[in-house]
Amino acid sequence: MDEPLPSATIRTRVTVPLRFPDGYVTTARVHTFHGLVDGREHLAFGLGEPGGAAPPLVRPHSECLTGDVFGSQRCDCGPQLREAVERIAEAGGYLLYLRQEGRGIGLYAKLDAYALQDDGLDTYEANLALGRGADERDYTVAAQMLAALGVDRVALLSNNPDKADQIERLGITVADRVATGVHLSPANAGYLAAKVTRADHALDLPFVP
C-alpha cells in the first residue's frame, strides 16, 4: 500500500430480511458508512456468521441496475449477486455493494456502450470508444469498508484478478480466491468471452481456449 488508507467509520447498521425472485430468503445486517473517499452511498451486507479463524467470505459487487434489478441477460451480474448472497450467508462474511455502474462509467454511458456492442464492439472496446477506461472501477471504498468492519483478511469471492490485486495493494490480505459460478446464456456469451480474453477473468468457458 503506497499511502495510508483513509479511515471510514460505520454510520448505521440495520437488519433487513431479503427475498429473491426464486424464493431464496435470508437476513442481512446492512451497514452504511461515514468517510468513504468518493462520497457515494456504498453498502456492506453482513451475511451469516464467520466461523473460527477462517477469513470471512467477501464479494465486492459493482452495482448493475439492468442485471441486478431487471434481470438483463446481457451480463452475468444478477446471477452472480444471487449466488454470492447465498454462498456468503452459508460461509459467513460480507457482500460489498459498490455504486460503480457500468464498470465505473455510469448507467447512461453503459447503455451507450450497449449500442456500440450491438454494432460489433466487445464490452471493453465499447467503453474505450466512448472515451472512457475499459474498466474504471476503484476498490478503495471496499478496503475502507472492510477496515471499518474490522476485517483485514478475506476469502475473495471473485473471478476478477484486478479486484484481488487492488484489495491487496490497499492493505487487505486476500487469503484465498474463491471462484464464482459460470452463468452462461446465449445473450451474454460474448460478454463473458471478453472478460476472459481481455481481463483474464477466471471463467471456464467451453468456447474460449
Side-chain angles (χ1 to χ4, degrees):
M1 184 168 57
D2 297 330
E3 298 180 1
L5 185 69
S7 62
T9 57
I10 295 173
R11 174 179 174 275
T12 192
R13 169 178 149 168
V14 61
T15 300
V16 177
L18 305 179
R19 182 181 181 87
F20 287 81
D22 64 358
Y24 176 74
V25 297
T26 191
T27 300
R29 302 173 300 280
V30 183
H31 304 77
T32 65
F33 298 87
H34 286 300
L36 298 178
V37 292
D38 63 5
R40 297 179 180 174
E41 295 180 328
H42 307 280
L43 301 173
F45 289 73
L47 297 157
E49 296 296 336
L57 185 62
V58 171
R59 175 169 176 76
H61 182 92
S62 296
E63 178 181 49
C64 177
L65 179 70
T66 52
D68 295 344
V69 177
F70 293 103
S72 168
Q73 295 187 50
R74 293 188 67 139
C75 62
D76 58 345
C77 302
Q80 281 194 326
L81 176 63
R82 166 65 182 82
E83 174 197 3
V85 168
E86 184 169 3
R87 291 180 68 176
I88 296 170
E90 290 173 353
Y94 296 95
L95 183 133
L96 308 179
Y97 198 78
L98 307 176
R99 314 302 297 276
Q100 301 189 114
E101 184 81 45
R103 291 200 304 278
I105 69 172
L107 180 59
Y108 277 18
K110 180 177 83 170
L111 295 175
D112 292 340
Y114 277 0
L116 293 174
Q117 291 169 47
D118 289 342
D119 290 334
L121 299 186
D122 72 32
T123 178
Y124 297 95
E125 292 168 342
N127 279 20
L128 293 171
L130 292 172
R132 305 299 297 264
D135 189 339
E136 295 187 1
R137 289 175 294 180
D138 182 308
Y139 296 99
T140 302
V141 292
Q144 285 186 286
M145 294 157 77
L146 291 169
L149 292 163
V151 175
D152 60 6
R153 296 176 70 251
V154 302
L156 193 69
L157 181 61
S158 175
N159 301 320
N160 183 354
D162 184 52
K163 284 184 185 179
D165 292 345
Q166 286 199 41
I167 292 291
E168 285 270 10
R169 289 198 303 268
L170 290 161
I172 304 296
T173 299
V174 178
D176 191 16
R177 299 188 189 187
V178 182
T180 69
V182 177
H183 304 285
L184 176 65
S185 75
N188 71 17
Y191 169 82
L192 295 183
K195 280 187 171 184
V196 174
T197 59
R198 297 291 299 271
D200 295 324
H201 283 230
L203 290 167
D204 186 12
L205 298 177
F207 47 84
V208 176

